[in-house]
Amino acid sequence: MTQYTRELFDQVMIQNYTPADFIPVKGKGCRIWDQNGKEYIDFTSGIAVTSLGHCPDEIVEILQRQGQKLWHSSNWFTSEPTLALASKLVEKTFADRVMFVNSGAEANEAALKLARRYAVDHFGYQKSKIISFKQSFHGRTFFTVSVGGQTKYSDGFGPKPADIIHIPFNDLNAAKAVIDEQTCAVIIEPIQGESGVIPANKAFLLGLRELCSQYNALLIFDEVQTGVGRIGHFYAYMKYDVVPDILTSAKALGNGFPIGAILTTDIIARSFAPGVHGTTFGGNPLACAVAAKVVDTISEAKFLENVRQISARLIKGLEQINQQYQLFKDIRGEGLLIGAELIDKYHGQASEFVKKAANNGLMILVAGPNVLRFTPALNITEQELELGLARLANSLMS
Ligand SMILES: *Cc1c(COP(=O)(O)O)cnc(C)c1O
């Protein structure tokens, strides 16, 4: 029998990732087991994706049921699960219409193309400027890395799409200085995820909303990470009370089954007339059947209230650990998207802490080189949370 070892990864895989030394083989709830049967508490949820835990019974059942019925039919046909999911999202958000894709990057790619096309349709080709923020992350397609604010992801691939500018996050004056009649869109993560879990100020988001309305630019919220309950509200815009023109969603939407969505208003949606944009897999019945159950579960007020309670406990636990070991200079974030920034002495060493945690049976993430990121399942039990925190304390001690 072939031995599937970590070494094999280095032989047969393109080396664009360096995964952990252990290989997970099974997951249930907030626990993962590796090839040796070692158990881990999972505070990553596969990067804020498996928000209902690994292999939740009721979703496995839906996957099996839909798996017997219809997996794929292409967008030449629609499907019942697609229409069910779309209706739920329209009912529960500002949006009049949705389109489904397969990932966060694809959702942002579609949102940016839609904003450009809307500007062309209503104002002409000169309205093409896209304002984005330094350190932002919007995915890895060429348009989305170019719009994202991290040159390490966008440089080295030749000429980039034009008319994109990057300004400091949470700096309304910087936005005022560059926004003009030529601006077609402003795109922002309500909480910057990958670059360090940095929340936007409410006044900043409100200010962007006003500027966009004044200059007929579309405000795009990239809620790929913050959406679907992650911050203790169904979408982050609901907490901030600032309504975007286009919203993108992915990660947790399918609890690990790949799916993304763009949500928008009726008038903007008209710029995606038949044939203007498309995808083979987007909106397939399997993904939509799963996502419909995820949306039903997570959008419940009680469920979201519980997320906020677990969040308070997680933050308190991290603060207690910090009182003992003085490792963090800042603990921040919302709901269960929490970042702990290491003190200067440990800057650049976040991944070392991730390795130590894994040795102690805990999976955590980084958000940039200086921040530990905690994104456990939204339904993590108190017992699993305490066990994870104890393992974190152990690994920080060693
Ligand atoms: C993860 C992420 C993306 C990219 O999503 P993929 O599914 O990896 O393409 C885009 N934006 C934000 C805010 C993200 O966190």
Side-chain angles (χ1 to χ4, degrees):
M1 212 175 73
T2 314
Q3 281 284 321
Y4 296 110
T5 62
R6 176 62 180 78
E7 286 69 46
L8 189 58
F9 181 96
D10 294 340
Q11 291 162 25
V12 299
M13 297 288 289
I14 292 178
Q15 297 285 292
N16 61 317
Y17 303 115
T18 44
D21 293 335
F22 66 94
I23 300 183
V25 292
K26 199 177 114 178
K28 191 73 194 166
C30 290
R31 287 180 161 84
I32 287 252
W33 290 268
D34 72 11
Q35 289 174 313
N36 302 318
K38 178 174 166 183
E39 179 211 84
Y40 301 79
I41 293 289
D42 185 2
F43 275 8
T44 73
S45 309
I47 320 187
V49 168
T50 52
S51 285
L52 296 175
H54 297 285
C55 305
D57 291 337
E58 64 284 6
I59 301 223
V60 170
E61 195 197 310
I62 283 168
L63 198 53
Q64 283 169 342
R65 213 185 313 141
Q66 187 61 39
Q68 309 274 358
K69 269 177 148 174
L70 185 67
W71 293 20
H72 176 83
S73 57
S74 91
N75 285 300
W76 289 105
F77 312 91
T78 189
S79 84
E80 290 180 356
T82 316
L83 297 173
L85 176 60
S87 307
K88 287 176 201 298
L89 289 171
V90 164
E91 182 205 324
K92 291 170 193 293
T93 70
F94 75 97
D96 306 314
R97 294 177 180 276
V98 306
M99 176 189 165
F100 297 115
V101 292
N102 311 289
S103 69
E106 267 188 74
N108 287 325
E109 181 82 22
L112 293 163
K113 281 180 70 181
L114 178 58
R116 282 267 177 92
R117 181 59 72 109
Y118 177 82
V120 168
D121 287 350
H122 294 264
F123 305 96
Y125 273 96
Q126 78 292 344
K127 194 174 176 68
S128 59
K129 187 196 281 186
I130 294 170
I131 299 175
S132 171
F133 297 92
K134 295 201 156 107
Q135 302 307 318
S136 62
F137 183 80
H138 299 297
R140 299 294 202 108
T141 66
F142 201 29
F143 200 176
T144 56
V145 284
S146 303
V147 167
Q150 303 186 55
T151 48
K152 67 175 182 203
Y153 296 141
S154 60
D155 285 4
F157 301 101
K160 295 175 192 175
D163 267 351
I164 299 163
I165 58 169
H166 301 97
I167 60 172
F169 192 68
N170 272 335
D171 182 346
L172 193 58
N173 284 330
K176 280 185 186 151
V178 295
I179 196 165
D180 56 17
E181 293 294 343
Q182 262 80 68
T183 305
C184 81
V186 175
I187 181 166
I188 186 166
E189 298 160 83
I191 299 176
Q192 286 194 335
E194 303 301 307
S195 62
V197 189
I198 304 163
N201 304 325
K202 177 165 178 168
F204 178 60
L205 292 178
L206 269 171
L208 290 180
R209 175 67 277 176
E210 281 168 15
L211 286 175
C212 283
S213 302
Q214 188 182 340
Y215 288 97
N216 292 312
L218 300 184
L219 181 61
I220 305 173
F221 274 8
D222 175 350
E223 293 229 31
V224 169
Q225 191 154 167
T226 54
V228 198
R230 180 47 57 186
I231 73 148
H233 298 263
F234 186 42
Y235 282 101
Y237 86 85
M238 296 168 174
K239 177 195 160 63
Y240 287 101
D241 218 4
V242 176
V243 181
D245 298 298
I246 304 176
L247 180 150
T248 57
S249 187
K251 287 202 164 87
L253 190 55
N255 204 63
F257 202 102
I259 179 169
I262 58 170
L263 282 61
T264 192
T265 63
D266 195 30
I267 173 149
I268 297 167
R270 282 181 217 158
S271 286
F272 268 0
V276 173
H277 190 62
T279 152
T280 295
F281 296 122
N284 80 73
L286 263 184
C288 290
V290 167
K293 180 66 184 176
V294 171
V295 164
D296 274 345
T297 308
I298 291 183
S299 63
E300 283 285 325
K302 256 199 192 142
F303 185 95
L304 294 166
E305 167 60 29
N306 189 49
V307 173
R308 300 196 288 271
Q309 279 173 18
I310 304 168
S311 169
R313 179 62 201 110
L314 172 59
I315 291 172
K316 194 156 157 246
L318 291 172
E319 281 167 354
Q320 281 164 344
I321 288 173
N322 203 32
Q323 272 162 18
Q324 233 178 328
Y325 305 111
Q326 276 98 46
L327 288 162
F328 309 131
K329 67 179 197 186
D330 192 20
I331 296 167
R332 58 183 179 242
E334 286 286 339
L336 289 173
L337 175 54
I338 299 297
E341 182 171 353
L342 295 163
I343 56 171
D344 295 352
K345 189 172 123 188
Y346 296 116
H347 266 202
Q349 294 179 34
S351 1
E352 301 305 313
F353 286 97
V354 169
K355 277 187 200 136
K356 281 190 197 171
N359 290 339
N360 282 278
L362 175 69
M363 293 159 71
I364 58 173
L365 289 168
V366 303
N370 310 326
V371 177
L372 304 184
R373 179 172 28 162
F374 305 94
T375 55
L378 303 181
N379 59 1
I380 188 169
T381 63
E382 202 164 328
Q383 194 200 6
E384 289 164 327
L385 189 74
E386 297 305 331
L387 186 55
L389 283 167
R391 289 182 187 181
L392 181 68
N394 272 341
S395 56
L396 296 177
M397 242 175 16
S398 56

